[in-house]
Amino acid sequence: MDDKVGLRARDFWTSLILVALSVAFLWQTSLLPFYDAKAAGVNSAQWFNSAAIVPFGIFGLLLLLAITLLTISIRDGGAARALRSIGINDRVELRRIALLSLILIAYIVCLVPRVDFVLASGLTLTALTYGFHSGRAVPMALSAVFACLPAVFAVAAHPFPDEWAKPHDDDAITLAAWIALTVSMFAIESRRGAIDRVIKATPLVALMAPLILVIGMAFGFRQNVPNRTGLVFAQIEYHYYVTLRPLWSGD
């Protein structure tokens, strides 16, 4: 029995790696043209001529098999054995790691390519600070929900790179989620008594940190900024070149 659990523990790690690889390859495959494909150098709108069909089938099947292996591993106790081996011994710690990973994935994979950098970073900083500063279950869950909702919308509404610049509906929803999370944070903490100093400073830090970073990247170090047409950065760039720069350039 112990050998079987040990085997399932190894299956747990294997299935996680396979899931990650499958999702990564499916993501890259999704960037291939599906309805506007070329066959023998001729444009064709027939979906079955797309080069994405075979990779979708292969990695979709691999993902299904990996999820099946993961389910069997969890059911037979392999997941618990594997997590205990790296020092995760209770559900509270596991939930904390899972929600933290979920917020970071939502930020890196979903929000940064599609949503204004200041808005995406401000929401994520607020979620991470409020969710994991106290270690309580409610702030963690609430932060994960508010961080993931605009991420899910951004991916669903604008899955392909040529849709990432405009319109700004995903920016607006991210801003709304940021405001809603901030208001909820102060409302919940005020009911508990005195508001912590970290909570009081969170809105200012969440706003100023990405704002200073993006201004430094774009105009100080001349580095590329994710989604330059974002709702906030587009206004910053416009006023920098149109309003501020002529003041010292003499134009």
Side-chain angles (χ1 to χ4, degrees), residues 32-131:
L32 296 175
F34 197 72
Y35 290 105
D36 185 18
K38 284 188 176 181
V42 179
N43 285 332
S44 172
Q46 301 296 329
W47 62 269
F48 49 78
N49 287 326
S50 173
I53 294 296
V54 173
F56 266 130
I58 292 175
F59 294 112
L61 181 60
L62 181 62
L63 178 61
L64 181 62
L65 293 174
I67 292 174
T68 302
L69 182 62
L70 180 63
T71 303
I72 294 172
S73 173
I74 294 173
R75 184 188 63 195
D76 292 347
R81 170 81 169 269
L83 294 174
R84 283 198 303 271
S85 68
I86 60 172
I88 301 176
N89 298 316
D90 55 54
R91 292 184 179 180
V92 174
E93 184 66 17
L94 180 60
R95 179 178 59 197
R96 179 178 177 277
I97 293 174
L99 292 177
L100 179 61
S101 302
L102 196 62
I103 292 173
L104 292 177
I105 291 172
Y107 174 68
I108 296 170
V109 177
C110 304
L111 292 179
V112 168
R114 299 170 177 82
V115 177
D116 181 88
F117 182 80
V118 175
L119 298 178
S121 301
L123 172 62
T124 303
L125 284 173
T126 302
L128 292 176
T129 304
Y130 177 53

Side-chain angles (χ1 to χ4, degrees), residues 104-185:
L104 292 177
I105 291 172
Y107 174 68
I108 296 170
V109 177
C110 304
L111 292 179
V112 168
R114 299 170 177 82
V115 177
D116 181 88
F117 182 80
V118 175
L119 298 178
S121 301
L123 172 62
T124 303
L125 284 173
T126 302
L128 292 176
T129 304
Y130 177 53
F132 301 94
H133 169 64
S134 65
R136 305 196 316 268
V138 172
M140 279 192 284
L142 189 67
S143 297
V145 169
F146 277 110
C148 291
L149 281 178
V152 171
F153 174 83
V155 172
H158 308 292
F160 303 111
D162 58 352
E163 303 172 358
W164 292 355
K166 291 183 179 180
H168 295 311
D169 50 354
D170 49 358
D171 291 343
I173 288 177
T174 302
L175 176 60
W178 185 7
I179 294 172
L181 177 58
T182 303
V183 172
S184 301
M185 173 180 71

Side-chain angles (χ1 to χ4, degrees), residues 189-190 192-196 200:
E189 295 303 311
S190 63
R192 292 177 55 87
I195 299 177
D196 190 282
K200 290 180 180 178

